[in-house]
Amino acid sequence: MADTVLEGTARKRGQYRGAWRARYFVLNAAQSRLDYWESREDKEANQKPRGAIRVRGASPLDDKDEPFGLVVRAANAYDEWLALDSLHERDRWVTALQKASLPSESFEPDDDVWEDATHNTDAGDIRNATVYDCSVSRHHLQLEFAYHILVQGERGEPWSVRRSHNALRSLLRTQCDLSQLDEECAKDRALDPRRFLASRLRRRVALVNSLLSRVMTSPDFRAFVTEDDEDVPPEEPPPPQQRDVAWLVPLLPDPRIAALCGAVLCGVVSRAYGVPNGLVVAIFAAGAATGLACAGVVPVQRVEKATEDGGTCTLPRWPRVGGHCWSEPRAALFRVRGPTYLTDRIKEPSDSALCRLIGVDLFSTDTPESNLCRRKESFAQRVGSDAPPLIIALNFCLPWGNFALYWAAPEEEHDVLQQFLDSDDDAYRDARLKLIPRVVEGNWLVRRAVGPGSKAAKLAETIELKYSKGNGYVEVSADLCGSATARRILSVVRSGTSGLVLDLALVVEGTTEAELPERVLGAARLHRVDPDLAEPLPVC
């Protein structure tokens, strides 16, 4: 019961009849789960909980019948209403639930990344406008859409704008026939929001792009894409849910159904090979980031190398039409050991990352390099005059090439990180280095297998790690080719990785009170990376 931080009786509103009934609740903060029983006696008798709520947030409820109510945002898409007996109790529950909440389930770029692409008001005439991403968030039984549009003018750099579906439709309806788009949206509303698939999202975006090509030269459209980004309002409420299974018919021939089943095998592989489930997820994540051709909403074309921090890296930075790029997520999206973890086992959102992501390399080769930073083709050697004093690199040696992430080490010293970097004991470093994967966008089975960004895996348990030091860099190479177990896991789970947007975070494990709380060393977000676009690495 060390993970229990909230326990007591509250009234719960039923989902179907709307009746308020007393239930006994226990919050497991480590798992972001709120279990409830009919009574305290049932719980003390070790009976099975009547239900469980995966908590994504909580807020006070404005209801005249229950002045001390609160709303629990649940991961199953249904808001749960609870009521307490006093304002003090209500506020205490809201605070505890918010602290224990899972990360937001919104397929949308982080605000700090979004600010990198501001609109250009001096670009001249609009030459191209393309939806390169679509945010989908769930609220109660609604799906709320927002389109992220990449705009290119006659002059200057392209810029990004975010517009809701309703706002974009209001612009298009004055110049286009929207019957086909409205028909597609009606199909989306007929689906259960919990079963919404990315294939339907791609069809909707393809229709919007065809309509944009007809209106992008109009003055109204120019004004539309040069305004400040708007807050996206909820869409119109969907019609009452139909109690039938007709929605299954068009999905049966979809090849993505087979891909969904592949992710289920994570647990099977874990038992078959005797490997901890967390490590299966880590190996899966390394392959998922680069293991399949891109399944984004827009076809990807080969691009020139991107310039970052004065040098060049082989993978472009977000935003980019169709994916195949990288960005840096907030470290708070990952849960790490808290200051009292040794006694209560509670994990908390990480503080800001110690290191800043400065580049990503993607190379194709039949002989992956275990010390990639020494090669002149690597970003560590091409970073230029703006190179930080020290670069920390994580290099995955995959069966078909190298995939490397580069972070700039912090200027101020951090005891745990400094001890890790200065150590010459590989056994010590193997025991401390952990990887946390987190799926931002992907089918729900893959997201369930990987988890909400709190499952950390020690790579060295099955994968051989090699540590290299050179002039201005420290590199950790993870050899996924040399481990038979890793190769088998990659081959099994490969079918469930299509079209992923994936976060990876490195953490140095804290094992004493002085080393806690943990803090993310560095993080990276990979947007639908396509290995077919990798730069060839010359054989030396």
Side-chain angles (χ1 to χ4, degrees), residues 307-369:
T307 300
E308 298 295 339
D309 285 2
T312 57
C313 56
T314 56
L315 193 67
R317 184 171 183 174
W318 185 93
R320 180 175 173 274
V321 174
H324 190 66
C325 55
W326 62 269
S327 62
E328 186 173 17
R330 299 191 307 273
L333 296 172
F334 302 92
R335 287 181 172 267
V336 295
R337 295 182 175 186
T340 56
Y341 179 83
L342 298 180
T343 57
D344 58 22
R345 318 299 288 180
I346 291 180
K347 293 185 176 181
E348 298 179 351
S350 172
D351 238 344
S352 58
L354 291 169
C355 305
R356 175 174 55 92
L357 185 64
I358 56 175
V360 179
D361 270 338
L362 186 64
F363 293 110
S364 61
T365 176
D366 293 332
T367 55
E369 291 279 349

Side-chain angles (χ1 to χ4, degrees), residues 446-459:
V446 175
R447 298 169 71 193
R448 178 62 62 88
V450 173
S454 60
K455 294 182 180 179
K458 292 182 180 179
L459 293 174

Side-chain angles (χ1 to χ4, degrees), residues 134-135 143-147 162-172 178 181-186 188-189 204-205 208 211 224 230 232-236:
C134 185
S135 303
L143 289 173
E144 300 169 7
F145 292 86
Y147 302 103
R162 178 181 59 180
R163 296 292 181 263
S164 69
H165 174 77
N166 288 340
L168 186 59
R169 188 184 182 281
S170 298
L171 172 77
L172 295 174
L178 301 183
L181 178 62
D182 290 344
E183 182 180 349
E184 190 68 28
C185 295
D188 295 342
R189 288 194 294 270
R204 178 189 278 220
V205 170
V208 172
L211 295 171
F224 182 75
E230 61 177 21
V232 180
E235 293 194 353
E236 297 177 1

Side-chain angles (χ1 to χ4, degrees), residues 132-424:
Y132 69 91
D133 208 349
C134 185
S135 303
V136 183
S137 58
R138 300 186 305 188
H139 179 67
H140 199 50
L141 292 180
Q142 299 183 52
L143 289 173
E144 300 169 7
F145 292 86
Y147 302 103
H148 302 273
I149 307 172
L150 192 66
V151 186
Q152 175 67 65
E154 289 181 317
R155 301 180 297 275
E157 297 294 325
W159 70 95
S160 302
V161 293
R162 178 181 59 180
R163 296 292 181 263
S164 69
H165 174 77
N166 288 340
L168 186 59
R169 188 184 182 281
S170 298
L171 172 77
L172 295 174
R173 70 182 178 185
T174 61
Q175 306 177 54
C176 303
D177 177 13
L178 301 183
S179 57
Q180 192 174 3
L181 178 62
D182 290 344
E183 182 180 349
E184 190 68 28
C185 295
K187 294 178 183 177
D188 295 342
R189 288 194 294 270
L191 291 179
D192 186 333
R194 293 168 293 175
R195 306 181 188 274
F196 187 81
L197 296 182
S199 57
R200 301 206 59 83
L201 186 61
R202 292 199 297 273
R203 287 195 286 271
R204 178 189 278 220
V205 170
L207 285 172
V208 172
N209 277 331
S210 66
L211 295 171
L212 287 180
S213 64
R214 305 177 196 174
V215 303
M216 65 182 181
T217 56
S218 68
D220 290 342
F221 182 74
R222 175 177 175 75
F224 182 75
V225 297
T226 53
E227 296 172 352
D228 292 334
D229 289 337
E230 61 177 21
D231 293 328
V232 180
E235 293 194 353
E236 297 177 1
Q241 299 292 308
Q242 301 296 322
R243 295 182 178 274
D244 57 41
V245 293
W247 59 270
L248 279 171
V249 177
L251 302 181
L252 292 179
D254 195 324
R256 290 187 64 85
I257 300 300
L260 291 174
C261 299
V264 178
L265 295 177
C266 274
V268 178
V269 172
S270 175
R271 296 194 178 192
Y273 299 136
V275 180
N277 187 60
L279 187 58
V280 174
V281 169
I283 297 172
F284 163 74
T290 55
L292 283 180
C294 173
V297 297
V298 182
V300 176
Q301 304 295 327
R302 182 171 290 278
V303 295
E304 298 299 325
K305 297 176 183 178
T307 300
E308 298 295 339
D309 285 2
T312 57
C313 56
T314 56
L315 193 67
R317 184 171 183 174
W318 185 93
R320 180 175 173 274
V321 174
H324 190 66
C325 55
W326 62 269
S327 62
E328 186 173 17
R330 299 191 307 273
L333 296 172
F334 302 92
R335 287 181 172 267
V336 295
R337 295 182 175 186
T340 56
Y341 179 83
L342 298 180
T343 57
D344 58 22
R345 318 299 288 180
I346 291 180
K347 293 185 176 181
E348 298 179 351
S350 172
D351 238 344
S352 58
L354 291 169
C355 305
R356 175 174 55 92
L357 185 64
I358 56 175
V360 179
D361 270 338
L362 186 64
F363 293 110
S364 61
T365 176
D366 293 332
T367 55
E369 291 279 349
S370 61
N371 187 1
L372 183 65
C373 288
R374 67 181 173 85
R375 294 288 301 268
K376 65 179 182 180
E377 295 85 2
S378 76
F379 177 72
Q381 300 297 330
R382 299 196 310 263
V383 67
S385 59
D386 293 332
L390 180 65
I391 292 176
I392 300 175
L394 175 62
N395 172 29
F396 289 103
C397 299
L398 298 165
W400 53 266
N402 285 91
F403 171 63
L405 307 164
Y406 304 94
W407 290 277
E411 295 181 0
E412 68 279 2
E413 286 193 5
H414 185 274
D415 292 342
V416 177
L417 175 60
Q418 200 61 43
Q419 185 176 354
F420 178 85
L421 295 176
D422 293 341
S423 175
D424 292 325

Side-chain angles (χ1 to χ4, degrees), residues 10 24 32 77 87 104 140 155 186 246 289 413 420 440 487 539:
Y24 191 76
S32 301
L87 180 63
S104 174
H140 199 50
R155 301 180 297 275
E413 286 193 5
F420 178 85
V440 180
R487 290 198 303 271
V539 178

